Amino acid sequence: MQKAVKQASWMNTCAVTALLLGASSASARAEETAPAAPPAAAPAAEEPAGVGDIVVTARKKQESSNSIGMSINALTGDTLAKQGILNTADLVKAVPGFNYTRSTYGTPVYTLRGVGFNETTLAAAPPVSVYVDEVPLPYSVMAQGAALDVQRVEVLKGPQGTLFGQNSTGGAINYIAAKPTKTLQAGADASFGRFDSFTGSAFLSGPITDTLRGRIAIRRESSGPWQQSATRPGDRTGGTDRTQGRILLDWDANDKLTFELNANGWIDRSTPQAGQYVGVISTRAPANVAGAATTAGNAQSADWDPNTRFYTHDNFYQIALRTNYDFTDDLKLTSITAYQKLHRDTLTDADGLAVNNFTAGNKGYIKSFSQELRLAGKYGDHVNWMVGGNYQNDATYDTFSPQASSSSFPFKAATAMGHNQVNTYSAFANVDWQVLPKVTLTGGVRYSYQFRDYVGCLFDSGAGDLAAVVASASTRLSGSTTTIAPGSCVTISSTTYKPSYYQDSLNQGNVSWKAGVNWEVAPHKLLYATISKGYKNGVFITTGATFAAQLAPATQESVLAYEAGFKLSLLDRKVQLNGAAFYYDYRNKQIRGRVIDAVLGGLNRLINIPKSRIAGAELQLVTEPVKGLTINAGATYIGSKILGDFSNFTPTGTAMLMSGEAFPLTPKWQLTGDIGYDRPISQTFNGFIGASATYQSATNSALGAQSLFAVNAYTLVDLRAGVHTADDKWRFSAFVHNLNNAYYWTNVSYAGPDVAARFAGMPRTYGITAGWRFQ
């Protein structure tokens, strides 16, 4: 941490100097009245807002989401609550082109328009970045509490990085937290449902002094186990136990200088979901595994090792300080400083069997410090510009401990370790130039350089079984006798063929950029076109490697994105129709592939796919044909393909040419729809009813597209109905999720040596909710 602060001192020095100068200037003019801030670029007061018009800050200024020449989906906190969207994974219900997958050990995988990364290594930065008030949550596993007490969420699609935060190839999800208020406000919500589920949340907001405001929010989620053992009636797993909290403090030091402090965190003590065994992938699997009956077919039916306590003991906290100083109405300085730490400790059954074929323990931590400094301003009435810099220091320690007493592995247990020390430096700039009354040009550039140092190794458990096997292989390959003590590092060097720690560095730089044109062909009718390029940094894997070559990194990936679209307000602004077509030229896509280990057989390894592409289109319709009736529907088509001559191994160990294949876990079609009707039923109460549906077409979870790893198409339907007071202070409703009780799964894992297991989605759930607001 001290090293991180020291390396970021140049940014902090600049920020402090500017703030001190500004404070002195403000003091000298203390009796002057500051001019009023310019109004938000929202529809004029005399003009009614159109449907789907949400004021966003995606480009660091307030403007309607439908006036921005980029693909962005914005949802208010009220919309999220009504549709039962409690976390980032639930955004699949409302955001076309967004996909969520549960990885083998529970790490969330977020994908936008086919750009995602199914990886469980703690140090693997995602291609879709998550933020809260522009403060990055640099690793997806940190994002569990991001959706707590939010004003809105903005989902930006395509490469990002020229405006704020970190580089990304897929997009960014920025949650805007509900802010401390100048008047006393409070609220609470409670939900009770199937499987003894309970979700309760509350907030309190208001002034502390004339210049200091505060807000506190908390959420508690719990449920009983929803999965049952296929071989042991009465044995259950899959319970939820999570607590999230946030404290916000806003201080107006003077009329130009403000501070925003955000302290938040969460604790997860849930019981991990068990997999459903679907088949054997190794001819060396022991008889009690190869002859097992599959547990797939019913969402609630699964299996796991008897007399074993599987658990999640994860926790996270973050402290972030945002400092804003307004030199003038047109020149603003922003500093964002954040420190966060995550601790992970889980034990997961990854085979879906009642025997110990593959159980995984994951322990580790992430410490991350970031500092951003940016200056934004205007030149005349037609140019908005911004320049900034960003520094991030990450330290990750990750251990992966397989237990495989009944498997084809020649050992019963082991522990793999990976340690990353990462420093990333970035500078960025962006400009919007209104060259004609209805035409605006946009451009941005970002330079980033990352220094990544890695140390990793696979350790014998102390029993000496793995050490003896690897020592024999080392003796044979090196030509001299090798002895490995029990409990020692067993990873064999690729040059000496002797066991040693694997140490390597990955230092890479890149220049990402964006250029675009926006043309307002008529009032509230926008055409736009953009070209952008984004990068995702390279990564080392944490895995059981008997040979050092398995730990070689995947280098940085890039996406060159072409997009053209429209945003049309029609029929007296009662209909909003947005659409876009896009083409992504993908280079060095990072993905989990396979390598054949001489000792252990087929094992996972991170690889790069040299050339691939995504071609697609999306369309979204929002309309309110009559007062109280709202309809929101979206469709996305994603055509992904591996190009060139690319070969790798399937999970079953078969080498094959994979050119022409679609990306794993990338459905071609994604459809979303929501309809709601709200109308008065008395002078005091309104009644409402609504339904939402999502559809995803079939895909496959692994390279090679083998049928064992198929993810079938599925449709999910939710219903809601209830009443609320006319002033919306009270709200009561009932809900049903997965009304059709669809049996579906989002991933098929092949983490272990012998079997594949799928992770099913929840069956039908139902319940009631109540909400109260005071202001």
Side-chain angles (χ1 to χ4, degrees):
M1 177 64 186
Q2 292 178 348
K3 180 180 178 183
V5 173
K6 181 178 179 181
Q7 290 173 312
S9 61
W10 65 275
M11 284 189 177
N12 288 317
T13 300
C14 293
V16 171
T17 300
L19 295 174
L20 289 175
L21 290 173
S24 299
S25 174
S27 177
R29 297 177 294 166
E31 296 184 5
E32 295 183 14
T33 302
E46 66 274 7
E47 180 183 27
V51 295
D53 252 340
I54 299 175
V55 175
V56 299
T57 54
R59 296 195 302 172
K60 310 286 93 45
K61 59 180 180 179
Q62 291 185 318
E63 53 194 336
S64 166
S65 59
N66 292 322
S67 67
I68 303 175
M70 64 187 302
S71 287
I72 176 173
N73 289 96
L75 302 166
T76 65
D78 185 54
T79 298
L80 297 175
K82 288 179 179 178
Q83 292 189 229
I85 299 174
L86 299 179
N87 52 55
T88 305
D90 289 338
L91 288 176
V92 296
K93 298 179 180 181
V95 178
F98 177 75
N99 191 30
Y100 160 77
T101 301
R102 180 197 184 278
S103 69
T104 306
Y105 311 127
T107 305
V109 179
Y110 304 133
T111 302
L112 274 170
R113 290 179 171 176
V115 182
F117 188 35
N118 182 18
E119 178 51 49
T120 59
T121 299
L122 274 183
V128 178
S129 302
V130 179
Y131 302 83
V132 177
D133 291 339
E134 300 173 11
V135 179
L137 296 163
Y139 302 92
S140 296
V141 69
M142 294 176 164
Q144 186 177 122
L148 171 66
D149 190 33
V150 298
Q151 183 184 49
R152 67 179 183 277
V153 61
E154 302 170 2
V155 181
L156 287 64
K157 301 173 184 178
Q160 305 295 324
T162 65
L163 287 165
F164 65 93
Q166 58 191 30
N167 228 339
S168 66
T169 46
I173 302 170
N174 189 25
Y175 287 94
I176 289 78
K179 299 298 186 288
T181 51
K182 294 182 179 181
T183 59
L184 181 63
Q185 297 185 12
D189 296 277
S191 173
F192 303 87
R194 190 184 182 192
F195 305 117
D196 297 322
S197 66
F198 166 76
T199 300
S201 62
F203 74 88
L204 178 65
S205 176
I208 300 173
T209 70
D210 290 343
T211 59
L212 180 65
R213 300 173 300 280
R215 188 181 186 102
I216 183 170
I218 190 169
R219 177 187 292 155
R220 172 79 177 137
E221 298 176 65
S222 66
S223 74
W226 64 276
Q227 290 183 299
Q228 55 191 15
S229 170
T231 58
R232 302 181 303 280
D235 199 356
R236 297 177 177 271
T237 191
T240 301
D241 184 353
R242 303 189 187 100
T243 303
Q244 306 161 7
R246 180 188 294 140
I247 297 175
L248 300 177
L249 293 174
D250 288 1
W251 178 39
D252 299 332
N254 56 48
D255 60 352
K256 291 184 175 295
L257 177 63
T258 62
F259 298 92
E260 301 173 14
L261 179 68
N262 181 339
N264 63 87
W266 51 261
I267 298 172
D268 190 349
R269 296 292 183 267
S270 302
T271 306
Q273 179 181 346
Q276 297 181 314
Y277 165 67
V278 292
V280 173
I281 63 175
S282 171
T283 58
R284 303 191 297 178
N288 62 340
V289 171
T294 63
T295 53
N298 181 323
Q300 292 181 253
S301 178
D303 230 332
W304 53 93
D305 299 353
N307 304 316
T308 303
R309 187 178 67 89
F310 297 99
Y311 61 86
T312 300
H313 285 175
D314 293 353
N315 55 71
F316 168 80
Y317 71 86
Q318 179 194 72
I319 300 175
L321 177 65
R322 179 186 180 117
T323 305
N324 302 295
Y325 183 76
D326 297 348
F327 290 101
T328 68
D329 290 341
D330 297 333
L331 186 62
K332 304 176 186 296
L333 178 72
T334 301
S335 170
I336 300 177
T337 307
Y339 177 76
Q340 47 208 322
K341 183 177 180 180
L342 177 130
H343 176 266
R344 178 170 75 167
D345 182 4
T346 66
L347 183 65
T348 306
D349 188 292
D351 53 45
L353 293 168
V355 297
N356 180 221
N357 179 257
F358 196 75
T359 293
N362 291 273
K363 294 184 179 182
Y365 65 78
I366 302 173
K367 299 177 182 178
S368 179
F369 170 84
S370 62
Q371 172 64 55
E372 179 164 306
L373 188 67
R374 63 174 185 257
L375 189 66
K378 295 178 64 176
Y379 183 77
D381 295 329
H382 305 295
V383 177
N384 291 278
W385 58 268
M386 184 179 63
V387 295
N390 188 289
Y391 167 76
Q392 185 170 313
N393 173 271
D394 298 336
T396 71
Y397 182 79
D398 193 12
T399 64
F400 163 63
S401 301
Q403 300 173 17
S405 59
S406 183
S407 76
S408 60
F409 279 161
F411 62 88
K412 294 184 177 181
T415 295
M417 177 275 292
H419 181 264
N420 286 262
Q421 187 69 44
V422 187
N423 289 283
T424 307
Y425 301 85
S426 303
F428 54 90
N430 197 84
V431 64
D432 296 334
W433 180 20
Q434 187 179 6
V435 293
L436 294 172
K438 300 295 184 180
V439 178
T440 301
L441 302 180
T442 65
V445 65
R446 180 190 187 97
Y447 174 75
S448 293
Y449 201 92
Q450 183 175 95
F451 300 88
R452 181 181 292 266
D453 296 322
Y454 174 81
V455 177
C457 199
L458 175 65
F459 292 85
D460 178 85
S461 66
D465 47 0
L466 177 59
V469 172
V470 177
S472 175
S474 175
T475 297
R476 184 175 67 254
L477 293 169
S478 66
S480 60
T481 302
T482 300
T483 302
I484 304 177
S488 300
C489 171
V490 302
T491 301
I492 297 175
S493 166
S494 300
T495 54
T496 65
Y497 300 111
K498 295 292 184 179
S500 64
Y501 284 84
Y502 176 84
Q503 300 184 54
D504 198 2
S505 296
L506 185 62
N507 303 327
Q508 293 184 294
N510 57 71
V511 177
S512 55
W513 50 269
K514 181 176 183 178
V517 57
N518 304 330
W519 179 23
E520 189 179 11
V521 296
H524 312 296
K525 294 176 177 59
L526 180 73
L527 302 180
Y528 70 90
T530 62
I531 304 175
S532 58
K533 188 165 189 177
Y535 288 83
K536 177 187 173 301
N537 295 313
V539 62
F540 290 91
I541 193 173
T542 300
T543 191
T546 55
F547 285 87
Q550 296 168 227
L551 298 177
T555 57
Q556 65 184 1
E557 70 176 26
S558 69
V559 169
L560 179 61
Y562 304 86
E563 180 174 338
F566 58 85
K567 297 186 176 184
L568 307 178
S569 184
L570 308 169
L571 301 180
D572 196 25
R573 308 197 70 193
K574 292 182 178 180
V575 174
Q576 182 67 40
L577 184 65
N578 297 342
F582 50 89
Y583 182 89
Y584 292 175
D585 183 0
Y586 217 148
R587 298 300 171 97
N588 294 318
K589 175 178 171 60
Q590 299 170 0
I591 195 169
R592 270 218 181 194
R594 300 284 274 182
V595 61
I596 303 302
D597 185 290
V599 177
L600 303 180
L603 292 177
N604 296 321
R605 175 184 170 180
L606 288 180
I607 58 176
N608 292 98
I609 299 175
K611 295 179 63 177
S612 54
R613 60 87 166 155
I614 297 172
E618 63 186 24
L619 189 67
Q620 185 167 30
L621 170 71
V622 183
T623 182
E624 188 175 1
V626 298
K627 187 177 180 180
L629 176 63
T630 58
I631 301 171
N632 190 332
T636 302
Y637 171 79
I638 299 173
S640 62
K641 182 180 289 188
I642 297 173
L643 304 176
D645 296 326
F646 173 75
S647 298
N648 197 246
F649 296 94
T650 68
T652 58
T654 303
M656 64 177 293
L657 181 68
M658 296 174 178
S659 301
E661 275 192 22
F663 295 167
L665 298 174
T666 308
K668 282 188 176 182
W669 286 100
Q670 293 175 256
L671 308 178
T672 63
D674 184 85
I675 183 170
Y677 186 51
D678 189 317
R679 62 162 294 168
I681 56 177
S682 73
Q683 291 184 339
T684 305
F685 287 97
N686 281 26
F688 64 89
I689 188 170
S692 63
T694 60
Y695 168 81
Q696 293 197 14
S697 61
T699 182
N700 199 283
S701 62
L703 290 171
Q706 294 176 307
S707 59
L708 191 64
F709 303 95
V711 177
N712 292 345
Y714 62 88
T715 301
L716 304 178
V717 178
D718 295 350
L719 294 182
R720 61 186 184 273
V723 296
H724 66 89
T725 55
D727 58 9
D728 220 20
K729 287 186 177 180
W730 290 94
R731 179 175 289 264
F732 306 92
S733 64
F735 65 88
V736 180
H737 293 162
N738 192 2
L739 174 70
N740 47 327
N741 203 29
Y743 171 56
Y744 71 102
W745 58 97
T746 59
N747 198 0
V748 182
S749 167
Y750 50 97
D754 299 319
V755 304
R758 68 177 57 147
F759 292 91
M762 290 282 287
R764 181 189 299 118
T765 58
Y766 42 81
I768 57 174
T769 66
W772 165 77
R773 294 293 181 271
F774 166 81
Q775 60 183 28

